[in-house]
Amino acid sequence: MLQTLVYGRDRIRFMESLVVGDIAELKPGQGTLTLLTNEKGGITDDLIVTNTSEDHLYVVSNAACADKDLAILRDRAAQLQATGRDVHLEVSDNALLALQGPSMARVLQAGLSDDLAKLSFMNSISTTVFGVPGCRVTRCGYTGEDGVEISVPTARAVELAEQLLGVPDVWLAGLAARDSLRLEAGLCLYGNDIDETVTPAEAGLMWTLGKRRRVAMDFPGAAVIMAQVKEKPRRRRVGLTSVGPAIRPHMAILGPEGRPVGTVTSGCPSPCLGKNIAMGYVEAAHSRAGTELTVEVRKKQHPAVITKMPFVPTQYYMAK
């Protein structure tokens, strides 16, 4: 993952000129999922932006989008600097470890002096983890489960990973496990479910737009996105469940008359539910939960039902 630190008095103005979220409203240590958009309203990337307690923003971008995201960030910073604004970037070379699941808090608390019970979902602290200083622990992770992402100095990343793996409840998990978890939680995968041809309105991600930002319409693609909200998008991201062969990306979704009405963007058998789950885009007229459609799998049609997401309830932790 690309990890970028944004410094300067105008760091909020800088970030809000690129993303749809209300970064100014974030409390110290609080973060949010937000979207980097283009002038056509498409999603260039989904990011987590944290307003740290150390007077800078901490931005985490998808690794696959690192080069284009960094180019956009640097170009915009240069534009603002040329007008006298105070903003500058620092790219972190830290590694990022994700510790996810119901045992996370118990496992990690043993290596922290900070009280994890006080750290809510999407909040972040700078701390020492199992004797490794200079770490940032953020209570998040793209699994739908309670978890943390630990930004750790690269030179000691293997050491920390080995310490965590020394705990019986901690196991290595591959990207396939993470992918099934994020799909069960109804979370988008960039490049599959969202990309530069998809808008927040179509993707069902309008909740990422702050109310103030909607009124100001001062983010890239605002006119296109807000027009779609008013007129209703022609296609919508939906969840699907089915039995039989697994549903996979790029498979056609067919309406009652056998006409293509959409396309699958993600799909796999759900380990938790014991049936197939998928995500895709369909014409708005076919997007209501409970609508019966079919999916074409190896030239055969199999029944599928539009299903509300998340498929499996999320377990995000909120401090009391």
Side-chain angles (χ1 to χ4, degrees), residues 35 46 64 82-83 103 109 113 121 123 143 163 168 178 183 195 208 223 227 256 296:
L35 305 173
D46 54 331
T83 64
S103 298
Q109 188 61 75
S113 58
F121 177 61
N123 279 257
T143 62
Q163 287 194 73
R178 186 261 200 172
L183 185 51
D195 58 30
T208 64
E296 190 171 74

Side-chain angles (χ1 to χ4, degrees), residues 54-319:
E54 296 81 32
D55 294 325
H56 66 268
L57 300 178
Y58 170 58
V59 183
V60 179
S61 313
N62 285 301
C65 298
D67 290 343
K68 71 172 181 179
D69 285 7
L70 189 55
I72 291 169
L73 293 172
R74 284 175 169 166
D75 182 61
R76 184 59 179 147
Q79 291 174 11
L80 290 179
Q81 289 165 357
T83 64
R85 300 295 181 184
D86 179 26
V87 60
H88 61 278
L89 310 178
E90 178 183 315
V91 177
S92 171
D93 64 354
N94 277 11
L96 201 62
L97 302 177
L99 183 64
Q100 303 285 301
S103 298
M104 179 282 297
R106 177 177 55 79
V107 170
L108 190 61
Q109 188 61 75
L112 288 181
S113 58
D114 303 88
D115 185 0
L116 273 178
K118 297 179 180 178
L119 189 68
S120 290
F121 177 61
M122 294 306 292
N123 279 257
S124 174
I125 53 173
S126 181
T127 187
T128 296
V129 182
F130 284 102
V132 179
C135 294
R136 175 165 295 281
V137 175
T138 304
R139 200 154 197 162
C140 68
Y142 223 55
T143 62
E145 299 296 319
D146 185 21
V148 294
E149 290 185 347
I150 307 169
S151 178
V152 53
T154 302
R156 302 191 67 178
V158 172
E159 173 191 339
L160 179 55
E162 289 177 342
Q163 287 194 73
L164 291 171
L165 288 168
V167 180
D169 283 353
V170 179
W171 297 75
L172 288 173
L175 287 176
R178 186 261 200 172
D179 193 51
S180 64
L181 285 165
R182 69 91 192 165
L183 185 51
E184 288 177 336
L187 302 174
C188 296
L189 177 64
Y190 192 84
N192 280 44
D193 310 303
I194 50 176
D195 58 30
E196 295 190 23
T197 69
V198 175
T199 69
E202 294 171 328
L205 295 175
M206 288 302 295
W207 60 268
T208 64
L209 274 73
K211 293 181 180 179
R212 174 177 61 84
R213 306 303 307 282
R214 295 188 190 206
V215 174
M217 292 182 61
D218 56 354
F219 52 87
V224 175
I225 294 167
M226 297 313 296
Q228 280 191 341
V229 172
K230 183 178 181 180
E231 299 165 5
K232 307 301 181 186
R234 295 180 180 178
R235 61 174 179 167
R236 294 183 182 275
R237 179 172 64 92
V238 297
L240 295 160
T241 54
S242 73
V243 294
I247 303 175
R248 299 296 185 186
H250 311 300
M251 289 180 174
I253 302 170
L254 309 177
E257 304 83 14
R259 178 180 65 84
V261 296
T263 305
V264 175
T265 54
S266 287
C268 71
S270 166
C272 291
L273 300 178
K275 58 184 175 182
N276 301 321
I277 60 174
M279 193 184 295
Y281 287 83
V282 298
E283 295 172 4
H286 300 279
S287 64
R288 186 182 297 274
T291 300
E292 296 182 355
L293 302 171
T294 59
V295 175
E296 190 171 74
V297 183
R298 292 188 289 275
K299 298 184 179 181
K300 293 184 179 180
Q301 296 182 21
H302 297 270
V305 179
I306 301 293
T307 305
K308 288 185 178 180
M309 297 182 284
F311 299 104
V312 175
T314 57
Q315 303 296 323
Y316 305 134
Y317 174 82
M318 299 304 296

Side-chain angles (χ1 to χ4, degrees), residues 20-50:
V20 302
D22 192 339
I23 309 304
E25 76 170 0
L26 295 175
K27 299 175 182 178
Q30 185 181 20
T32 186
L33 177 71
T34 190
L35 305 173
L36 187 67
T37 49
N38 60 32
E39 294 299 336
K40 295 182 179 179
I43 301 171
T44 303
D45 198 8
D46 54 331
L47 319 170
I48 291 180
V49 178
T50 300

